[in-house]
Amino acid sequence: MAEYTKAQLTELIIGKLNRSFGRSVDDATPLHMFKACALVLRDIMAQHQMETSNQVWEKQERQVHYLSLEFLMGRSLEKNAYNLGLLDTLTETLEDLGFSAADLFETEPDAGLGNGGLGRLAACYLDSLTTQEIPATGYSICYELGIFKQKIIDGKQVELADNWLGLGDAWLIPKMDEVEEVRFGGHIEDNWVNGQNKPKHVGYTAVLAIPRDMEIAGYKTNHTNTLRLWDAKSPAPVDMSLYSRGEYLKAVEQQAMAEVIAKVLYPDDNHYEGKSLRLKQQYFFVSATAQSIVRQHRAQYGTLRNFHQKHVIQINDTHPTLVIPELMRILLDVEGYTWDEAWHIVTHTVCYTNHTVLAEALERWPQNLIETLLPRIWEILKEIASRYQRELEGYFGGDMNRVSRMAIIWGGEVRMANLCICACQAVNGVSALHTEILKQDVFHDAYLRQPDKFKNVTNGVDHRRWLAQVNPKLDALIQDCTGNDKYLLHPEAIRDLEKFQKDKSVLKQLEAIKLENKRKFAGYVGRESGVMLNTDAIFDVQVKRLHEYKRQLLNVLHIISLYQKLHDEPNAEFTPQTFLFGAKAAPGYHVAKEIIQLINSLAAQISNDPICKDKLQVVFLENYRVSLAEKLMPASELSEQISTAGKEASGTGNMKFMMNGALTIGTLDGANVEMHQQLGDENIFLFGLTADQVNDLRNQGYHPLDYYQRNQTIKRVVDQLSSGFSDGSSYADLAKRLLFGAGGSPADEYFLLADFDSYSQAHRRALEVYANREQWNRMSLINIARSGIFAADRSIQDYAHTIWNVPTRND
């Protein structure tokens, strides 16, 4: 922890303003002040990081390298100040200098280097790795443009560029002495030296990978880790002869072609150029990373024979899989190891976290693309694949049906998940149900062959950020009840709160905190959008990526049924409900974008209908992101976790809602299963088919048209989609998808109509409990008290003990 007085911090900030920006406090803008504060904290963390590196070097500790194409970091100023123990001091210092700390924290753009749960998980894990004092480095790309900014225009999503680096680069430290070269294209020539082939890569295009390091502070520790973000530049100088002839674009073509690698997160890949760029991104960052780790290891130990004893490389989903053949390339071609020696090192170094059971999300690359872009990697992949296939054929007695499912190269494609299964020393799912599905279905044959390779590490979230920091009054109540702040470093200690479940005074305080958070959030939404939320209504919230399996459409169908019921019986008793949605749809995902438009059509019709006033409200929160989630989670009361059972790997939003006292309405899917184990039937609103029941119904033949014809409520709701809304928009295509299927997808692929009645009944149960304030508040307290197991600290300890074999701070 950093020990600085207000006077010392003031002196450091004023010094930064003077030296870095030529400004005094009086002429400094909020942007100058933000950057000055960021640079001061960066300097403190950089000093701690140097001390940490020296200790790791001296003790020769095993290091964790966490590779992920996404790190959804959000904002860093407040978080870093909090972890360093400087938040109160910094806040007072800024106020004394004439700046609002709250406004200054709001000026920071989100570092949106991620798409959703995968990237936010990686960010939470960096915090816990550091807090647990595990020597670790995260690796990704320094995207110039993060996940797009979402604007809703005429109800439709429009994507705008998100240039976060204008202010965000204050956190980044360029390391020009640690630049690596990454090679694309060209061809391979045999090069025999002393009877050994050292293949020569010729005719390639080189791209320089420049590290821009972001320091990561842990909570109440001086241990500091690093997130290394690779920027892409061309080594070729601008062609001045072309420039002087006026061919300006041609002169800078090579620079532009190199820099496009780090330009944008997830280029659209439904065309060849997009696929090529995405593959370049993946290889660029893993090649630079592998070369960097090897270079540092060789400098310390002089040999790579102990590499696997000193390093573990954890790949977060399949995007970094090419680190496997790249590490083989370095060991074979640069270090001169035999195949068996290199393979032993790689297979005892790399571990794989699977994040999906969706077949379309298990990456497959056209082999001709790899062959063209990465010729040496292709040669190594062919060798790995042929050796593995021979092993499989021997094991399965020539059963080519099973061999084909597990093959790495098959049908002109390279299957990245199968490469991970082959080469990684451990494969883990991210919830108990998800891991079982991997073992019994997705990777069943691989599991039968090597059962010990498969592990489970249920996801977790940074509870210091997602509870203590974003909900300070709840944090104060927890500490007041438990008598200490132990839960911040030992999240299981939050269980002590449960002793107060019958304490009416505590329950009343909990309710008051929730109401204050709702009003605060309503004020924010009003200022940002002009929409006034009804804080007397229950805040029912579904925020996550827009994907059909996450079933935002089921939520919409239920709201339409409520709307129709209100029109049928406008004077009937009706619990006021405010439904909040937040979601971004992938730019090329047409159905998801149509569902966003549907939500906005429904919201507009309800908003303009006097019958719904103070009873029913639907609001789509534009540009959902980490900083918006930090305001929303403390205000939420009912958490929608309603994916089709068997489809969601884990979910992490469900855990954040739980920690903040929202109750869950959900299916037995992902980590909801473990939440249910912690809470029991009585503290969660479960509904719908289980994963096994979904499979059984699919196998028997699921006919959604039967539900439509037999159930009048469902028929009216689906017909409303077709007939459309007051804005003139019709959603007949969505209705058709539900009843008859479309574009090769089966009818109602995600079983919305099958679960509709059960979902509606769960909502009715939830509203009955909501009317009993004491019961609701008790359930809310129990949810908070039993949420400790879903802290990222627990997840990281599981990884450390069961996969990485490294000690933690709490050991």
Side-chain angles (χ1 to χ4, degrees):
M1 274 181 71
E3 303 275 344
Y4 288 87
T5 64
K6 192 163 68 169
Q8 289 171 319
L9 213 50
T10 302
E11 186 182 342
L12 289 170
I13 291 170
I14 292 172
K16 279 293 178 195
L17 282 173
N18 297 162
R19 290 188 297 276
S20 298
F21 306 105
R23 291 285 192 275
S24 68
V25 173
D26 294 337
D27 7 330
T29 66
L31 300 187
H32 290 129
M33 183 56 78
F34 165 78
K35 279 208 160 186
C37 292
L39 290 169
V40 166
L41 295 192
R42 190 185 85 175
D43 287 350
I44 293 168
M45 293 188 294
Q47 181 61 42
H48 289 171
Q49 201 280 325
M50 288 167 61
E51 294 163 5
T52 301
S53 290
N54 290 336
Q55 288 170 8
V56 173
W57 182 282
E58 288 165 12
K59 294 179 181 175
Q60 299 190 350
E61 295 174 300
R62 194 177 204 209
Q63 298 174 52
V64 174
H65 306 276
Y66 196 88
L67 278 61
S68 178
L69 257 192
E70 299 185 37
F71 281 91
L72 199 53
M73 301 301 289
R75 293 170 172 164
S76 294
L77 183 59
E78 188 175 3
K79 174 62 176 171
N80 284 333
Y82 178 86
N83 274 5
L84 290 167
L86 292 174
L87 184 56
D88 291 343
T89 313
L90 179 63
T91 300
E92 290 172 23
T93 300
L94 287 168
E95 303 289 345
D96 287 356
L97 291 171
F99 288 82
S100 159
D103 290 348
L104 205 67
F105 296 148
E106 280 292 313
T107 64
E108 182 174 7
D110 281 51
L113 309 180
N115 193 26
L118 182 87
R120 188 53 234 165
L121 180 79
C124 286
Y125 280 0
L126 276 187
D127 182 275
S128 284
L129 279 161
T130 312
T131 298
Q132 289 298 318
E133 298 179 351
I134 296 171
T137 308
Y139 299 88
S140 195
I141 293 174
C142 189
Y143 303 104
E144 182 183 325
L145 304 174
I147 183 70
F148 59 85
K149 277 184 184 168
Q150 181 193 58
K151 288 290 289 180
I152 300 297
I153 299 175
D154 297 331
K156 299 176 183 176
Q157 170 179 294
V158 176
E159 300 94 27
L160 304 177
D162 172 33
N163 192 337
W164 69 284
L165 280 171
L167 284 175
D169 70 352
W171 298 110
L172 304 179
I173 304 173
K175 298 281 180 70
M176 300 306 295
D177 58 328
E178 297 184 42
V179 171
E180 304 292 348
E181 183 180 273
V182 181
R183 298 173 178 181
F184 297 99
H187 63 277
I188 305 301
E189 293 179 353
D190 286 343
N191 178 35
W192 291 93
V193 180
N194 298 327
Q196 191 175 11
N197 187 16
K198 291 205 165 188
K200 197 174 178 184
H201 195 174
V202 296
Y204 58 83
T205 300
V207 176
L208 297 182
I210 298 165
R212 303 183 73 184
D213 289 355
M214 181 185 287
E215 308 297 2
I216 307 296
Y219 179 70
K220 286 194 174 178
T221 175
N222 283 352
H223 185 100
T224 303
N225 286 324
T226 300
L227 170 58
R228 173 155 286 192
L229 301 172
W230 295 103
D231 200 4
K233 300 290 179 193
S234 170
V238 171
D239 189 329
M240 293 308 295
S241 63
L242 287 170
Y243 206 84
S244 61
R245 293 201 299 269
E247 297 182 46
Y248 306 126
L249 293 179
K250 190 83 174 158
V252 297
E253 186 177 35
Q254 276 196 282
Q255 275 74 13
M257 291 304 291
E259 290 170 17
V260 75
I261 290 173
K263 183 67 73 176
V264 65
L265 171 77
Y266 290 152
D268 204 343
D269 67 348
N270 53 14
H271 45 72
Y272 180 86
E273 290 77 9
K275 278 190 174 65
S276 174
L277 178 53
R278 202 181 275 205
L279 182 64
K280 277 185 179 176
Q281 286 185 329
Q282 294 188 3
Y283 182 67
F284 168 77
F285 111 89
V286 300
S287 176
T289 297
Q291 291 182 67
S292 174
I293 298 168
V294 166
R295 194 179 305 282
Q296 291 174 29
H297 179 90
R298 197 192 296 106
Q300 182 172 6
Y301 297 102
T303 176
L304 266 67
R305 295 201 178 276
N306 64 342
F307 186 84
H308 55 293
Q309 294 162 0
K310 297 300 178 184
H311 304 276
V312 58
I313 294 174
Q314 186 72 43
I315 57 178
N316 193 29
D317 218 351
T318 53
H319 313 123
T321 304
L322 288 173
V323 76
I324 293 164
E326 174 63 8
L327 200 48
M328 286 296 289
R329 183 193 68 80
I330 293 168
L331 293 167
L332 294 168
D333 299 356
V334 181
E335 302 298 326
Y337 287 11
T338 66
W339 181 276
D340 289 345
E341 289 169 335
W343 188 245
H344 178 81
I345 291 170
V346 170
T347 55
H348 288 78
T349 300
V350 186
C351 306
Y352 162 53
T353 300
N354 172 279
H355 282 277
T356 184
V357 298
L358 302 179
E360 66 271 22
L362 292 170
E363 285 188 303
R364 298 163 181 237
W365 289 103
Q367 73 177 50
N368 65 333
L369 187 62
I370 295 181
E371 203 169 347
T372 305
L373 271 182
L374 310 170
R376 180 57 178 147
I377 294 302
W378 170 244
E379 290 182 350
I380 292 168
L381 283 172
K382 279 197 301 183
E383 184 64 23
I384 294 172
S386 65
R387 287 173 180 243
Y388 187 50
Q389 194 162 317
R390 284 196 299 273
E391 284 178 27
L392 295 177
E393 287 170 5
Y395 185 80
F396 292 119
D399 181 346
M400 294 310 291
N401 189 35
R402 298 173 88 177
V403 170
S404 67
R405 287 200 299 267
M406 290 180 65
I408 295 168
I409 300 173
W410 195 270
E413 290 182 321
V414 181
R415 301 162 172 179
M416 306 312 261
N418 285 357
L419 176 56
C420 290
I421 298 295
C422 163
C424 293
Q425 66 167 340
V427 174
N428 75 280
V430 291
S431 74
L433 174 64
H434 172 228
T435 301
E436 278 307 301
I437 292 171
L438 295 183
K439 292 195 292 195
Q440 303 306 328
D441 181 8
V442 183
F443 301 130
H444 182 58
D445 289 336
Y447 169 67
L448 292 178
R449 186 166 172 263
Q450 295 176 298
D452 292 345
K453 181 178 278 198
F454 287 79
K455 321 276 184 188
N456 177 63
V457 179
T458 298
N459 284 347
V461 301
D462 171 9
H463 70 295
R464 287 172 291 274
R465 183 175 200 137
W466 290 105
L467 195 168
Q469 192 185 325
V470 306
N471 202 342
K473 295 210 166 163
L474 178 56
D475 171 51
L477 179 64
I478 292 166
Q479 293 196 34
D480 189 42
C481 289
T482 60
N484 55 53
D485 65 355
K486 183 180 177 184
Y487 89 98
L488 293 175
L489 280 174
H490 301 274
E492 67 281 358
I494 199 172
R495 190 78 181 223
D496 290 347
L497 181 66
E498 195 165 338
K499 297 170 188 168
F500 297 85
Q501 62 172 293
K502 294 182 179 173
D503 187 316
K504 292 188 178 180
S505 167
V506 169
L507 296 179
K508 282 258 187 258
Q509 288 178 70
L510 193 62
E511 183 174 25
I513 290 167
K514 182 63 75 177
L515 182 57
E516 184 179 338
N517 289 335
K518 286 174 70 177
R519 288 173 175 161
K520 193 173 171 185
F521 183 71
Y524 168 79
V525 171
R527 289 190 302 276
E528 290 293 308
S529 67
V531 174
M532 301 312 298
L533 300 182
N534 178 12
T535 54
D536 292 330
I538 183 172
F539 277 14
D540 183 313
V541 182
Q542 187 175 18
V543 286
K544 50 185 76 248
R545 264 187 316 122
L546 204 308
H547 197 295
E548 289 165 274
Y549 83 83
K550 293 176 185 287
R551 301 204 294 190
Q552 285 93 345
L553 184 55
L554 175 60
N555 193 346
V556 171
L557 296 180
H558 172 249
I559 297 168
I560 293 172
S561 75
L562 293 177
Y563 176 68
Q564 292 172 338
K565 186 179 175 188
L566 260 179
H567 268 261
D568 293 344
E569 305 173 63
N571 297 318
E573 197 173 301
F574 191 93
T575 303
Q577 296 164 70
T578 290
F579 291 90
L580 300 171
F581 290 88
K584 290 180 179 178
Y589 192 170
H590 172 73
V591 176
K593 292 177 107 167
E594 195 172 9
I595 292 169
I596 287 178
Q597 188 182 349
L598 167 62
I599 294 167
N600 284 301
S601 291
L602 178 60
Q605 181 156 325
I606 287 173
S607 177
N608 293 320
D609 191 331
I611 289 176
C612 298
K613 184 173 169 53
D614 297 330
K615 291 182 176 178
L616 186 62
Q617 183 177 36
V618 177
V619 177
F620 187 88
L621 301 166
E622 185 180 77
N623 198 33
Y624 183 63
R625 59 202 184 278
V626 174
S627 55
L628 177 52
E630 290 172 341
K631 298 175 178 65
L632 174 62
M633 297 291 176
S636 302
E637 293 176 291
L638 194 61
S639 160
E640 300 269 355
Q641 307 298 330
I642 60 176
S643 53
T644 312
K647 292 296 180 186
E648 187 72 83
S650 167
T652 47
N654 45 5
M655 302 167 185
K656 294 165 194 168
F657 282 113
M658 181 185 184
M659 286 177 177
N660 282 281
L663 304 189
T664 299
I665 181 166
T667 51
L668 279 171
D669 194 28
N672 291 357
V673 174
E674 285 146 281
M675 287 168 59
H676 173 242
Q677 287 168 357
Q678 295 296 315
L679 295 167
D681 290 343
E682 63 278 11
N683 293 302
I684 189 171
F685 302 106
L686 290 179
F687 76 93
L689 301 169
T690 64
D692 287 343
Q693 289 168 341
V694 166
N695 287 331
D696 289 346
L697 184 54
R698 185 186 291 114
N699 293 335
Q700 290 162 14
Y702 171 50
H703 305 290
L705 196 58
D706 292 348
Y707 292 81
Y708 170 82
Q709 290 168 341
R710 290 185 204 143
N711 186 315
Q712 191 59 28
T713 304
I714 289 176
K715 185 176 189 306
R716 281 183 72 193
V717 167
V718 175
D719 286 349
Q720 175 87 59
L721 294 180
S722 297
S723 59
F725 297 85
S726 56
D727 62 359
S729 299
S730 163
Y731 298 92
D733 284 353
L734 292 177
K736 184 183 171 192
R737 287 182 81 85
L738 286 172
L739 299 179
F740 306 107
S745 297
D748 192 14
E749 184 175 5
Y750 297 104
F751 298 84
L752 280 70
L753 302 190
D755 275 351
F756 180 87
D757 272 355
S758 177
Y759 180 56
S760 300
Q761 288 164 16
H763 267 281
R764 289 193 286 275
R765 291 200 309 275
L767 293 180
E768 284 169 14
V769 175
Y770 192 72
N772 182 336
R773 300 310 303 150
E774 188 175 324
Q775 184 185 356
W776 182 275
N777 294 330
R778 182 178 301 113
M779 289 169 69
S780 176
L781 181 141
I782 289 169
N783 267 260
I784 298 164
R786 297 184 188 176
S787 67
I789 194 171
F790 299 113
D793 286 4
R794 189 271 313 148
S795 302
I796 289 301
Q797 285 169 8
D798 286 353
Y799 275 108
H801 297 146
T802 64
I803 296 176
W804 299 337
N805 193 24
V806 295
T808 71
R809 179 182 187 176
N810 288 348
D811 287 347

